[in-house]
Amino acid sequence: MNYGLIHKYTQNGYFILIDTNSGTVHAVTELVYKLLDHITPPVSKQMPSELAKLDELSGYDRELIEEAYDDIYQLFDEGMLFSTLPELEYAKVDYENMPIKSMCLHIAHDCNMRCKYCFAETGSFNRARKLMSYEVGKEAIDFLIRESKGIKHLELDFFGGEPLLNFDTVKRLVEYGRQEEKKHNKIIRFTMTTNGVLLDDDTIDFLNKEMSNIVLSCDGRKCVNDTMRPMEDGSGSYDLIMPGFKKLAAQRGDKDYYIRGTYTAKNLDFSRDVLALAAEGFDQISVEPVVLPDDSPYAIKEEHLHTLFREYERLTREMIKRNHEKSHLPEAKPFNFFHFMIDLDAGPCVYKRMKGCGSGSEYISVTPEGDIYPCHQFADKPEFKIGTLKDGITNKEVKSCFGRCPITTSEQCKNCWAKFYCGGGCAANNYSFNKDINVPYHIGCELERKRVECAIAIKLVEAFEEQ
């Protein structure tokens, strides 16, 4: 029998147990927590007599130890502890013929900022700066509708560089998309990522009407943002973008948005950036680690992990205080943190068990020239080009590589308790550090595990609130 992994840890006063394969999460007693150090599957119904003789359990009555053991056996018997590997992980998926349902449209290979950590070489993607034509964008929408086959709900993200540099084309393409979705019985969810420099009232009105989600790029505190996200002339961008961001978010209604930042080695105290954004009135926040080579002064390194773990724990405590203990301080408003959003009712995402993010299979990116790549982060790497809008997807060899899910092929993933929450990590990050999209990026793995631990601790607080 191939018994699965468990993971246990303590946080916020809870003794927490996670069963990897079933996705169940348990808040257990300290005694159960200690007993699990000495139990391996299969768990027999009768408690082994030697457990009661353990020195670390000498302060407990035998009856209490037996009750705790019975609880462990019950979880095992019900398939919620050391659960066996689901058949789904071995399912065969036809990636080559999988419908495409999401597209990243590089509407602008240009930018009016010069962010110091930009993976896209300040918007150019190591190419001549260029805006996508309406004709290429129209062809991309036709391609998405055609290749989505039986899927009704589609997503198209306007990306850059800075998409608002090509805003007239964006508006024309949204109008075309709305016409075509009706003809083909599709629903297109348009989204955009913007740095906010060109936001004005008319632009905000259009984006709030037509975009299902908007990502607003800002790194947090003014001093951090202005250092890392300067304008072309080197001046700071914070004061320029913040009024538009606030107005857009305030008028957003019930539509999705989040303000997204990047932390680097220069602001390892990133929880302060999250709280700074919350203090500005934003309630949907994401601040994520930069991914850069070790020789960059901004790179996240192994020696930074302990500090970053403490920052995630600090953020967890602050969110519990604001969101669940209901602090009434006006500057302590509740907010959501993107990387702490986990649905425990459904367990680890089934989609991610097999497909990860779907890059190269269900998700593609298209450049201003009409070239197709597995995702936006590969658009500066010609060797990963998988086709064109004109010829379709022709590089089947590269595409098939993206169909191999790391959680089934990588030893690191197979032995990781959090594998079903991340699906093997980011293929682009894996390639950047290991020259193999299926070999996980170690630091990314460490940070993901910590974020999952924190997210689950918050969810337990929510669960006990409801009882």
Side-chain angles (χ1 to χ4, degrees):
M1 183 71 69
N2 186 14
Y3 293 107
L5 303 168
I6 65 168
H7 176 64
K8 65 188 188 76
Y9 66 105
T10 60
Q11 189 163 335
N12 297 93
Y14 293 110
F15 296 91
I16 301 171
L17 171 64
I18 303 170
D19 182 71
T20 296
N21 289 333
S22 69
T24 53
V25 176
H26 314 279
V28 300
T29 65
E30 184 177 12
L31 178 52
V32 168
Y33 191 86
K34 290 181 176 180
L35 269 174
L36 284 167
D37 285 334
H38 306 279
I39 293 175
T40 56
V43 181
S44 60
K45 188 172 185 178
Q46 186 68 36
M47 185 184 82
S49 58
E50 60 268 21
L51 290 181
K53 301 174 184 177
L54 293 170
D55 290 341
E56 63 186 282
L57 303 182
S58 59
Y60 296 94
D61 293 336
R62 183 183 179 92
E63 184 177 352
L64 285 175
I65 297 173
E66 289 179 343
E67 288 179 0
Y69 181 86
D70 286 344
D71 289 341
I72 292 172
Y73 172 75
Q74 190 72 23
L75 291 176
F76 175 78
D77 189 52
E78 293 177 1
M80 294 187 288
L81 186 69
F82 302 115
S83 58
T84 55
L85 204 61
E87 292 183 5
L88 175 64
E89 194 174 9
Y90 293 117
K92 301 297 183 182
V93 178
D94 184 6
Y95 288 98
E96 287 195 6
N97 296 305
M98 185 176 291
I100 294 171
K101 65 179 184 180
S102 300
M103 175 182 286
C104 178
L105 202 61
H106 294 225
I107 199 72
H109 272 189
D110 198 2
C111 191
N112 42 18
M113 282 190 184
R114 294 296 180 261
C115 301
K116 295 180 180 178
Y117 49 67
C118 182
F119 76 89
E121 293 298 321
T122 66
S124 70
F125 287 83
N126 286 311
R127 306 177 184 208
R129 296 185 182 275
K130 184 176 183 179
L131 303 181
M132 179 178 284
S133 68
Y134 171 73
E135 289 72 26
V136 170
K138 179 174 173 290
E139 193 175 358
I141 291 175
D142 292 340
F143 183 89
L144 176 62
I145 289 174
R146 182 172 65 252
E147 295 300 321
S148 62
K149 299 176 184 176
I151 295 177
K152 182 172 183 176
H153 293 269
L154 311 178
E155 181 165 326
L156 190 147
D157 181 38
F158 292 107
F159 195 73
E162 171 48 43
L164 293 184
L165 289 172
N166 200 8
F167 188 46
D168 287 342
T169 301
V170 169
K171 290 188 289 185
R172 292 181 66 193
L173 289 175
V174 169
E175 182 181 9
Y176 178 74
R178 296 300 182 214
Q179 295 171 359
E180 293 302 302
E181 66 180 357
K182 293 175 183 177
K183 292 180 184 177
H184 300 278
N185 192 30
K186 304 285 186 179
I187 296 175
I188 301 177
R189 183 176 184 266
F190 289 104
T191 66
M192 179 182 284
T193 299
T194 178
N195 64 27
V197 172
L198 297 176
L199 284 178
D200 58 24
D201 288 348
D202 290 341
T203 306
I204 289 171
D205 289 344
F206 178 87
L207 296 180
N208 279 341
K209 177 185 176 183
E210 298 291 354
M211 299 295 133
S212 297
N213 189 24
I214 303 175
V215 179
L216 311 172
S217 299
C218 176
D219 282 352
R221 290 165 288 179
K222 174 178 166 60
C223 60
V224 172
N225 184 84
D226 284 351
T227 298
M228 301 307 298
R229 299 180 61 82
M231 300 300 295
E232 290 180 86
D233 62 4
S235 61
S237 61
Y238 187 89
D239 292 336
L240 187 61
I241 65 175
M242 195 52 64
F245 280 177
K246 287 183 177 181
K247 182 176 288 189
L248 185 148
Q251 297 176 3
R252 192 79 181 127
D254 59 357
K255 286 189 173 182
D256 292 337
Y257 86 94
Y258 64 92
I259 190 162
R260 183 208 182 280
T262 299
Y263 69 78
T264 74
K266 300 299 184 180
N267 62 315
L268 295 174
D269 58 344
F270 72 89
S271 68
R272 295 178 62 189
D273 293 295
V274 175
L275 298 180
L277 292 171
E280 293 286 3
F282 301 103
D283 59 3
Q284 308 297 322
I285 303 170
S286 174
V287 177
E288 306 179 17
V290 75
V291 180
L292 289 170
D294 285 343
D295 59 359
S296 168
Y298 308 116
I300 301 299
K301 301 179 182 179
E302 186 85 26
E303 61 260 31
H304 298 145
L305 287 175
H306 182 64
T307 298
L308 296 176
F309 291 168
R310 291 203 312 268
E311 286 295 298
Y312 282 117
E313 290 169 0
R314 185 174 294 120
L315 193 55
T316 301
R317 292 192 297 270
E318 185 67 25
M319 288 189 66
I320 290 173
K321 181 174 73 174
R322 293 181 181 218
N323 296 14
H324 304 292
E325 295 175 3
K326 308 301 182 186
S327 171
H328 297 293
L329 296 174
E331 69 273 16
K333 296 180 180 179
F335 63 90
N336 290 323
F337 183 62
F338 183 78
H339 281 296
F340 286 175
M341 296 169 69
I342 287 181
D343 181 4
L344 291 187
D345 294 332
C349 180
V350 172
Y351 171 83
K352 284 188 175 179
R353 291 186 183 212
M354 283 306 298
K355 303 170 187 171
C357 68
S359 61
S361 53
E362 293 181 318
Y363 167 77
I364 59 171
S365 70
V366 178
T367 70
E369 298 81 10
D371 295 333
I372 301 174
Y373 287 83
C375 90
H376 58 285
Q377 294 200 65
F378 286 99
D380 63 342
K381 300 175 177 61
E383 66 271 26
F384 281 94
K385 178 179 170 181
I386 58 175
T388 67
L389 292 176
K390 179 181 179 181
D391 299 326
I393 295 177
T394 54
N395 193 337
K396 302 291 187 180
E397 183 177 352
V398 169
K399 190 174 188 298
S400 66
C401 290
F402 283 82
R404 302 189 198 108
C405 182
I407 64 173
T408 62
T409 60
S410 162
E411 287 304 315
Q412 296 100 306
C413 289
K414 288 180 181 179
N415 296 315
C416 176
W417 62 267
K419 58 187 175 182
F420 291 148
Y421 289 99
C422 80
C426 171
N429 293 348
N430 295 349
Y431 183 77
S432 294
F433 278 84
N434 302 311
K435 298 304 175 188
D436 188 330
I437 64 173
N438 290 305
V439 177
Y441 165 49
H442 167 65
I443 289 177
C445 295
E446 293 286 353
L447 294 174
E448 174 66 8
R449 283 189 283 264
K450 187 61 184 179
R451 289 191 293 255
V452 172
E453 286 186 346
C454 291
I456 286 175
I458 292 172
K459 285 293 184 180
L460 284 176
V461 174
E462 292 177 2
F464 284 116
E465 275 184 349
E466 295 171 358
Q467 291 181 358

